Structures are given as C-alpha cells and as structure tokens.
Amino acid sequence: MDEGPESLTIRLERQLVRPAADVWSLLTRGASTRRGERAPDGFGTVGTPAGEITELCAPRLLEYAWSPLGRTRWELLPGTGHGARLLLSHSCPPLPEPAVAAAQAAWHQRVEELATQLLDTPVRG
C-alpha cells in the first residue's frame, strides 16, 4: 500500500495458474469490452463495483474509473510459465483506517476468489 497526502493505492500481485486469455475470459464471462462502457462485474469487488473503462488492451489490461478520483487497474503480465501474473492496483483519495482495512480485505478476497475459480475451471482445449 502506498499512502500519500492526496491519494492511497492498494496493490496486489498474484501468480495465476492460467494464461491471460483464460483469466480474461473468466473475468469478462466472455462478454466484449469497450472503452467508455462499464467494465464487467468480474473486475469489481464488494464496495467497489466496476465503473467506466478508461484504458483497455484485451486480454492484458483493463482500467476503470469507479469515482471521479478513484481508479482500478487490472494487468495480466507474463508469469513464471504456469500462467499470467496479475498486478492489481486500486487508487483513491485518502481514507480513514477502517475503510483502508476494508478495501484491502475486499480486494484480497476478490483475488483469492479469482485464483480459486481458475483452479476449479476445466482447462480449455
């Protein structure tokens, strides 16, 4: 977590067990994504629904605004050879400590849910 006088950024990184295309398909549930449209629900979490897509390079990058000052960015990068590496960052104005703890817990839970879904989803092919 990076905390400054003007902003707070929560970052999570996770090695996943599937390639970026498989992760993307799960996050989008196969729906098409376009800049300016609302991001699929898979990119959001409890308390932070996915907002308008501001940056997109499928199947590797999706960033959305969830408030005038808040952004969430999902990046799927090359990993260790076993799947994509997820870099997730959630930026917002400074928050009181209980809200920071809740946001960290919600994003951690979302990444854990995604990892579990990937393990439980049959391999395509």
Side-chain angles (χ1 to χ4, degrees), residues 96-119:
E97 181 54 37
V100 171
Q104 285 178 308
W107 282 112
H108 185 272
Q109 179 181 347
R110 177 65 192 110
V111 170
E112 290 302 313
E113 287 170 357
L114 174 62
T116 299
Q117 287 176 310
L118 290 167
L119 286 172

Side-chain angles (χ1 to χ4, degrees), residues 37-99:
E37 294 180 350
R38 186 175 175 276
D41 290 339
F43 290 95
T45 190
V46 173
T48 308
E52 181 180 312
I53 298 171
T54 56
E55 192 172 345
L56 178 66
C57 184
R60 299 273 178 207
L61 169 73
L62 186 140
E63 179 178 283
Y64 62 85
W66 59 270
S67 78
L69 300 173
R71 299 265 184 270
T72 299
R73 182 180 184 95
W74 292 72
E75 294 181 78
L76 297 168
L77 304 171
T80 61
H82 301 285
R85 184 145 203 89
L86 170 64
L87 296 177
L88 174 71
S89 62
H90 176 77
S91 301
C92 60
L95 300 169
E97 181 54 37

Side-chain angles (χ1 to χ4, degrees), residues 7-69:
S7 69
L8 165 78
T9 302
I10 297 168
R11 288 189 177 85
L12 293 119
E13 185 172 347
R14 174 78 187 242
Q15 176 62 49
L16 302 173
V17 296
R18 298 288 178 83
D22 291 358
V23 178
W24 191 267
S25 180
L26 186 61
L27 288 168
T28 63
R29 294 188 180 175
S32 65
T33 52
R34 292 197 176 129
R35 197 174 192 165
E37 294 180 350
R38 186 175 175 276
D41 290 339
F43 290 95
T45 190
V46 173
T48 308
E52 181 180 312
I53 298 171
T54 56
E55 192 172 345
L56 178 66
C57 184
R60 299 273 178 207
L61 169 73
L62 186 140
E63 179 178 283
Y64 62 85
W66 59 270
S67 78
L69 300 173

